[in-house]
Amino acid sequence: MSAEHAAATRGGGTAVLNVPGASGRRTRRRLVGVDAARGFALLGMVAVHTLPFWDAENERASLSWSLFAGHSAALFATLAGVSLAFLSGGRTPHTGRRLAGDRAGLVGRAAVIALVGFLVGFVALPVDNILIYYGMFFLLAIPFLGLRIRHLLISAAAFTVLAPFLMQWAVDVLPAHVYGNPTLWNLVTDPVTVLSQLLLTGTYPALPYMAYLCAGIALGRMNLTSQRVQLWLVGAGAALALLSWTVSMGALLALGVYDRIWEATPWLTEEQIDEILVFGPDPSLPTTTLWWLMVPAPHSNTPVALLLSLGMAAFALGAFLLLARLIGKALTPLAAAGSMTFTLYTLHLLFLGTGVYELHPGFWFWMQVAVFGLLAVAWQRAVGQGPLEKLVARTSKRIAGSVAAR
């Protein structure tokens, strides 16, 4: 997650879904597959942040980078949308006072997550902190809580197509970044730059990422306990990812887009352009030509990159839901970690701030995986919700209840 990356349900707790009980009453059933998918996203974020991004022996990007860079953050954001759907009525969106309460609670949820993120920003981190972006994600998601699947998918498509163009425009017009990760001090002294970074110019810009949030809410409105839906997620997700990659590579290599990018950006060599394609922009794509929006690079947030990562996120969600049917108990450590990713991701960021992992990255990656899995299982059985998850849940519940009661 450089986060739900922070925490996909960052708000609050385990993934649950209201389903009709045999008696006709409503019961609450944990969707282990959703928690496991979120735990897998956490594992991917830890891998990207801890393991080397370059395989010196084979002279190419490392396997962990190729698998998880950009995609883990997208999976977190998509699952954040799924969690928001569960919290706002599941398959039947809340209306009236309940919807108003949900929206007010989401403001509290966003505030707590962002506050923790800004406080963590005082630690010198070697990675971008996605927690502060999640606060903005949730604020922007408020108007979409009451929408049904069709309108949510239309909204996701609109963000996918339009937000990248706005992002490229913003690079030349708006202030770019604060030094390092934004803190509360930066928010007070330079709010325009911080807001620009959170919305458009940062590593996880909220406007492009709303494609994942809206799509995730739409997925959460579906019957995720249905095997048919789970199979559809696997098939449609794989097809979307493959189609996006094929369109991008076809345009770059067969239709001359790569040459047009090179001609429009003469100060970059072919090797440097290839590095952007593999490792992503640093920090933003060049704005010399809109053909840059055809690259599928991680964290480039182009239309094809958004669709590629969204397809992989849908595939992962469907796959873990199916796996939960077959080997649900075997997924317990992963699902437990996925139920408290806000807490664990925050611990991960604080650990990165020590710099200890740089000496033996492989060892410290597996150490984090083992500790997080054991800690999550033990905490879940002894206490329940993770400490930060409980803080977010209580805050949002009080605000939501107060507003709904009026």
Side-chain angles (χ1 to χ4, degrees), residues 1 4-5 7-11 13-15 31-42 71-87 134 138 209 211-217 219-220 224 233 309-310 312-318 320-321 338 341:
M1 43 201 112
E4 196 195 345
H5 210 306
T9 246
R10 238 160 200 90
T14 54
L31 281 178
V32 174
V34 176
D35 282 341
R38 190 178 299 112
F40 181 70
L42 175 64
H71 304 313
S72 292
L75 178 56
F76 264 123
T78 303
L79 293 173
V82 172
S83 297
L84 292 183
F86 292 169
L87 293 170
Y134 262 89
F138 286 161
Y209 264 65
Y212 302 130
L213 268 292
C214 289
I217 298 174
L219 296 180
L224 294 182
L233 286 175
S309 293
L310 180 58
M312 295 182 70
F315 175 86
L317 174 59
F320 277 104
L321 288 170
T341 47

Side-chain angles (χ1 to χ4, degrees), residues 374-406:
L374 293 173
L375 175 63
V377 171
W379 188 280
Q380 189 178 70
R381 291 179 177 177
V383 181
Q385 281 184 313
L388 291 181
E389 285 75 15
K390 181 171 291 187
L391 172 64
V392 172
R394 287 182 174 180
T395 301
S396 61
K397 184 177 180 180
R398 287 179 181 176
I399 296 174
S402 176
V403 171
R406 294 177 184 176

Side-chain angles (χ1 to χ4, degrees), residues 1-3 5-6 10 41-53 62 64-65 68-70 72-73 76 125-131 181 203-204 299 344-353 355-358 360-362 364-365 368 372:
M1 43 201 112
S2 260
H5 210 306
R10 238 160 200 90
L42 175 64
L43 183 151
M45 294 301 302
V46 172
V48 169
H49 293 165
T50 308
L51 297 175
F53 62 84
S62 65
S64 59
W65 180 270
F68 297 118
S72 292
F76 264 123
L125 298 175
V127 300
D128 292 309
N129 176 6
I130 199 175
L131 291 176
N181 286 297
T203 303
Y204 310 101
H299 300 299
L344 296 181
Y345 185 72
T346 302
L347 291 176
H348 166 64
L349 290 179
L350 295 176
F351 171 73
L352 291 179
V356 173
Y357 71 98
E358 295 178 353
H360 302 285
W364 287 111
F365 165 72
Q368 289 178 87
F372 288 170

Side-chain angles (χ1 to χ4, degrees), residues 1-242:
M1 43 201 112
S2 260
E4 196 195 345
H5 210 306
T9 246
R10 238 160 200 90
T14 54
V16 293
L17 180 66
N18 290 329
V19 295
S23 63
R25 293 178 296 178
R26 308 294 288 184
T27 60
R28 290 170 69 82
R29 177 189 302 168
R30 283 175 54 88
L31 281 178
V32 174
V34 176
D35 282 341
R38 190 178 299 112
F40 181 70
L42 175 64
L43 183 151
M45 294 301 302
V46 172
V48 169
H49 293 165
T50 308
L51 297 175
F53 62 84
W54 180 251
D55 183 349
E57 182 177 349
N58 296 304
E59 297 185 344
R60 63 186 181 189
S62 65
L63 179 62
S64 59
W65 180 270
S66 300
L67 289 177
F68 297 118
H71 304 313
S72 292
L75 178 56
F76 264 123
T78 303
L79 293 173
V82 172
S83 297
L84 292 183
F86 292 169
L87 293 170
S88 58
R91 297 174 64 187
T92 306
H94 291 161
T95 59
R97 288 186 297 174
R98 294 189 70 184
L99 178 59
D102 293 337
R103 287 172 168 164
L106 193 52
V107 174
R109 186 177 300 267
V112 173
I113 295 168
L115 177 60
V116 172
F118 279 122
L119 292 176
V120 172
F122 285 109
V123 178
L125 298 175
V127 300
D128 292 309
N129 176 6
I130 199 175
L131 291 176
I132 53 176
Y133 293 89
Y134 262 89
M136 185 61 70
F137 294 170
F138 286 161
L139 288 179
L140 294 182
I142 289 174
F144 299 92
L145 283 187
L147 300 185
R148 295 189 178 273
I149 293 175
R150 176 183 301 178
H151 301 108
L152 287 164
L153 293 178
I154 292 174
S155 300
F159 280 113
T160 301
V161 174
L162 300 178
F165 288 91
L166 187 59
M167 178 185 68
Q168 285 297 85
W169 165 84
V171 171
D172 291 330
V173 177
L174 298 179
H177 299 81
V178 300
Y179 179 77
N181 286 297
T183 65
L184 285 174
W185 176 252
N186 297 129
L187 184 62
V188 173
T189 60
D190 196 1
V192 175
T193 299
V194 172
L195 291 177
S196 298
Q197 183 171 344
L198 297 183
L199 288 170
L200 287 167
T201 63
T203 303
Y204 310 101
L207 287 180
Y209 264 65
M210 283 304 297
Y212 302 130
L213 268 292
C214 289
I217 298 174
L219 296 180
R221 299 277 184 239
M222 299 178 185
N223 181 12
L224 294 182
T225 62
S226 165
Q227 186 175 21
R228 181 179 179 182
V229 172
Q230 295 164 4
L231 290 170
W232 178 86
L233 286 175
V234 170
L240 178 60
L242 180 60

